[in-house]
Amino acid sequence: MAYTVGQVAKVAGVTVRALHHYDQIGLLSPSGRTTTGYRRYDDTDLERLQLVLYYRELGFPLEEIAAIIDDPAADPAAHLRRQHELLTVRIKRLQEMVTAIEFAMEASKLNIQLTPEERFEVFGDFNPEEHEAEAEQRWGDTDAYRESNRRASRYTKDDWLRIKAENEDWGRRIVAVLASGVPADSPEAMELAEEHRQIISRWFYECSYEVHTGLADMYMADERFTRHYENIAPGLAAYLNEAIHANAISRA
């Protein structure tokens, strides 16, 4: 059976743009095309896409996914064993993070200050100070950077917990909209793109639509940002990029 790119995007929960990108880099090329050049996918292509999304969910970069899938020594059973092992490790890590976050929440209730070791348990190996020099180099001469620093310097631990909670709640809802299959220019997706802009404006700096679309493009251009959103849900980086641009156009 042959499927259009739109049908594959809907079934797999990815964007059409993501499928086009996979085709361009040779990760997932359709088995056929119509006489007018439109892509047509078959069941074998869908099986390969499922493997791509499995490994993408586990945080593998696209180049490495291609190497893994195209390994002539790997059969379907080998892929399943590898995914099982990786998921088991990830589940263990997530369980440890849940325990650490619950500890941090309890400490906050009792007004206990977390030690550096305890902070590491909660936030893992991410250290904002390590990125400070790069951020200053890239944006240090902008009003947005100065305003963000000014506001952040006044935030208490409770403020940061509120920011984290808002972002997590927004993240759950954007993933649900993505999974529902509605396009990125739908009212639901654009409303969440607008909420994303407002969160930035409320907590860090005035985020105009021009600035917001610039951020959206950076989410695709900088692999670190792309990986962050793709780790939340496969296809989310491209979906959010499209939703932000659509929202900016609709409100212009």
Side-chain angles (χ1 to χ4, degrees):
M1 181 175 177
Y3 306 89
T4 66
V5 67
Q7 289 172 325
V8 173
K10 185 175 182 179
V11 169
V14 299
T15 64
V16 170
R17 178 177 290 187
L19 291 173
H20 288 176
H21 180 60
Y22 293 166
D23 184 12
Q24 290 167 359
I25 64 175
L27 180 60
L28 177 68
S29 297
S31 297
R33 288 182 181 268
T34 65
T35 55
T36 53
Y38 290 104
R39 296 170 174 82
R40 287 294 181 267
Y41 296 82
D42 62 17
D43 291 335
T44 302
D45 297 328
L46 294 187
E47 290 174 4
R48 182 179 176 91
L49 176 58
Q50 186 177 44
L51 285 175
V52 170
L53 297 181
Y54 277 151
Y55 285 114
R56 195 67 173 137
E57 174 66 18
L58 290 166
F60 283 77
L62 296 180
E63 310 80 47
E64 193 169 337
I65 293 173
I68 293 171
I69 295 177
D70 294 331
D71 181 1
D75 57 18
H79 284 300
L80 288 173
R81 286 193 299 272
R82 181 182 179 90
Q83 290 157 12
H84 182 272
E85 293 170 0
L86 293 169
L87 282 170
T88 299
V89 172
R90 184 172 181 180
I91 288 169
K92 181 177 183 294
R93 173 59 179 153
L94 288 174
Q95 288 173 335
E96 291 172 350
M97 289 178 67
V98 168
T99 300
I101 290 171
E102 288 174 348
F103 173 79
M105 291 168 63
E106 189 62 27
S108 177
K109 291 178 186 176
L110 298 173
N111 198 28
I112 298 173
Q113 296 298 316
L114 299 181
T115 66
E117 292 79 11
E118 291 162 344
R119 286 183 60 197
F120 182 82
E121 286 187 58
V122 175
F123 299 109
D125 57 3
F126 176 75
N127 181 1
E129 294 176 358
E130 293 179 358
H131 303 270
E132 185 175 340
E134 179 185 355
E136 185 171 2
Q137 181 179 5
R138 294 177 68 174
W139 302 296
D141 60 348
T142 65
D143 292 338
Y145 178 84
R146 288 188 287 269
E147 176 65 10
S148 179
N149 267 356
R150 185 184 67 80
R151 294 193 198 179
S153 67
R154 301 200 309 263
Y155 289 156
T156 65
K157 182 169 64 177
D158 288 341
D159 290 326
W160 287 113
L161 288 173
R162 281 194 293 272
I163 294 170
K164 181 180 179 183
E166 278 192 27
N167 277 284
E168 289 177 345
D169 176 63
W170 174 87
R172 285 189 291 268
R173 287 182 286 120
I174 190 71
V175 167
V177 169
L178 169 65
S180 73
V182 300
D185 60 356
S186 66
E188 300 93 331
M190 288 194 295
E191 186 62 32
L192 284 167
E194 175 64 16
E195 185 177 335
H196 181 268
R197 187 186 72 84
Q198 291 177 5
I199 289 174
I200 295 172
S201 293
R202 182 163 57 254
W203 289 105
F204 298 105
Y205 56 85
E206 185 58 38
C207 185
S208 67
Y209 291 106
E210 182 181 2
V211 170
H212 201 210
T213 54
L215 289 174
D217 291 339
M218 185 176 66
Y219 296 159
M220 296 299 294
D222 190 317
E223 185 178 296
R224 292 169 298 182
F225 286 99
T226 305
R227 185 167 56 247
H228 166 75
Y229 285 107
E230 291 298 294
N231 284 342
I232 296 173
L236 181 57
Y239 188 82
L240 179 58
N241 174 278
E242 292 182 34
I244 289 174
H245 278 276
N247 180 62
I249 292 171
S250 71
R251 295 174 187 267

